[in-house]
Amino acid sequence: MLNPREWTEEYVSSLPVGEFDWLEVKGRRGLDLTLPQVTESAVRETLAKAISAFANSGGGILVYGLANPTEIWAVDDGGVDLKVKGSGTREWLEDVIPTLVEFPLTTFNVYAIQRVSENSELAPGRGLLIIEIGDSDTAPHQSVIDHRYYARIGGKSRPLPHRLVADIFNRRRDPQIQIDFWFEEAERRSNFPVLQGQRPIIDTHLHFRATNVGRVLANYVNVVLYLPMSLMPETNLAGGENRELDGKEYLVLTKRNSRRDVVGSEGFSPRYGPSWFDPILPGRSQTWDIFVRDMLWPDHVWDEEIIWELYADNGAVTRGKVAVREISMKT
């Protein structure tokens, strides 16, 4: 799709017809204050509702000046007057939009498509108004007209229930961490060379990664893993503790976004300093790996599940699980 700043009258007529969460189209009467019975209060009310909905739903585009289509969009009655206010319709929208929601909206653009040829359906002095609303960092946004929060649901702007409003607040305040897993087979590292004719030892590792997919830095991340004992080697090198859950035995491990610097050595072994938390920035991740049994597992192991609990700063605890057979093998 073209950037809205590049839209033309012809391009707008080719937009998909229907109701979409990312697009809302209104006719001339939705904005043109030069028409009788079109009041500024009504325009502000419907505009505030749409702005709140798009800003709370990841952004979208609002178009004024198109008629309800049969097959394709057409200009409604010559389009919207480009001077509904003294400074111009586009300039008036740029001034009024930030004031229609609380918190004030900053991530938006307004464009006007004007008549450029004799074949245009736009009348002289009229046009199509395109309002592009971005994904807002300060959501949720409340309409200042009716003091409601809206979102785009099923192609319409609908009031948000309290639970979803609270969820949007938390997304802005707390880090959003995504967990994923994969297996990998790797040759065991050794300080001694492999002798001629000797086969290298292949170990199986379970890797898991915590990725910050939100916009807030994650200072403290704790991941508690419940690993089926049937997945673990007979000699436990991972630490943790054994625990029974729903009649099954698990090894419970806790991993944190902490690191320890090497501060010296003791014989052939490194000596580590105290641990410190390494924050996970938005878009960044931290990965851990755990030794597991080799891949020649009996069928029942593939049906086992890994359970995890995630604690990130002061956010709500999130929980999940994944079947062993659903975890990919990296080659």
Side-chain angles (χ1 to χ4, degrees), residues 120-139:
S120 173
E121 294 183 37
L122 293 167
R126 298 190 201 166
L128 303 176
L129 275 298
I130 314 295
I131 303 174
E132 178 189 21
I133 300 102
D135 186 9
S136 176
D137 290 335
T138 54

Side-chain angles (χ1 to χ4, degrees), residues 19-301:
E19 296 181 335
F20 305 94
D21 288 344
W22 62 274
L23 175 68
E24 183 170 354
V25 175
K26 293 185 177 295
R28 180 187 177 193
R29 297 185 65 84
L31 180 61
D32 198 331
L33 298 176
T34 66
L35 292 173
Q37 299 181 340
V38 176
T39 65
E40 184 172 338
S41 61
V43 169
R44 284 175 175 263
E45 182 177 356
T46 57
L47 184 56
K49 179 178 176 180
I51 295 298
S52 170
F54 279 121
N56 291 336
S57 305
I61 299 171
L62 182 60
V63 181
Y64 282 99
L66 294 179
N68 289 329
T70 52
E71 295 182 358
I72 63 172
W73 294 106
V75 174
D76 181 21
D77 191 24
V80 176
D81 195 299
L82 296 176
K83 287 282 188 178
V84 300
K85 288 285 187 176
S87 59
T89 305
R90 175 183 173 182
E91 291 76 10
W92 178 71
L93 286 171
E94 290 175 337
D95 289 339
V96 77
I97 285 174
T99 70
L100 293 176
V101 290
E102 180 66 36
F103 299 101
L105 187 68
T106 58
T107 54
F108 73 95
N109 293 291
V110 182
Y111 308 105
I113 299 175
Q114 303 184 42
R115 177 185 175 91
V116 294
S117 72
E118 292 297 324
N119 297 325
S120 173
E121 294 183 37
L122 293 167
R126 298 190 201 166
L128 303 176
L129 275 298
I130 314 295
I131 303 174
E132 178 189 21
I133 300 102
D135 186 9
S136 176
D137 290 335
T138 54
H141 295 274
Q142 181 189 61
S143 165
V144 300
I145 307 299
D146 61 8
H147 306 292
R148 287 185 171 186
Y149 295 91
Y150 292 89
R152 296 292 294 178
I153 302 172
K156 297 184 181 298
S157 299
R158 303 182 187 275
L160 273 174
H162 173 77
R163 178 180 60 82
L164 294 181
V165 175
D167 180 64
I168 296 174
F169 266 115
N170 289 335
R171 271 185 271 158
R172 182 163 58 91
R173 184 187 63 194
D174 299 323
Q176 303 296 303
I177 305 297
Q178 178 178 290
I179 302 293
D180 62 302
F181 298 86
W182 69 94
F183 289 114
E184 182 178 22
E185 290 185 323
E187 184 177 325
R188 181 178 297 179
R189 296 179 181 178
S190 174
N191 294 327
F192 304 98
V194 177
L195 300 178
Q196 185 175 3
Q198 184 180 12
R199 298 178 62 183
I201 300 174
I202 303 299
D203 292 317
T204 302
H205 299 254
L206 171 67
H207 298 274
F208 73 99
R209 175 172 53 203
T211 303
N212 188 345
V213 297
R215 302 170 182 163
V216 180
L217 175 145
N219 286 293
Y220 309 106
V221 175
N222 281 7
V223 183
V224 181
L225 292 179
Y226 292 77
L227 301 168
M229 291 301 298
S230 57
L231 192 64
M232 306 308 297
E234 294 182 4
T235 302
N236 176 21
L237 301 177
E241 62 175 344
N242 294 358
R243 190 179 304 176
E244 185 175 315
L245 186 65
D246 296 331
K248 293 185 177 181
E249 288 290 329
Y250 290 88
L251 176 67
V252 182
L253 298 177
T254 299
K255 297 294 183 180
R256 302 177 176 87
N257 63 320
S258 59
R259 301 184 186 277
R260 298 178 68 188
D261 295 321
V262 176
V263 296
S265 61
E266 296 177 352
F268 293 102
S269 301
R271 181 163 56 89
Y272 293 95
S275 62
W276 50 278
F277 280 94
D278 186 13
I280 304 177
L281 298 172
R284 305 297 293 272
S285 62
Q286 183 163 336
T287 303
W288 300 265
D289 72 274
I290 301 166
F291 284 109
V292 295
R293 291 182 186 270
D294 61 45
M295 296 296 291
L296 299 176
W297 299 329
D299 289 343
H300 74 274
V301 177

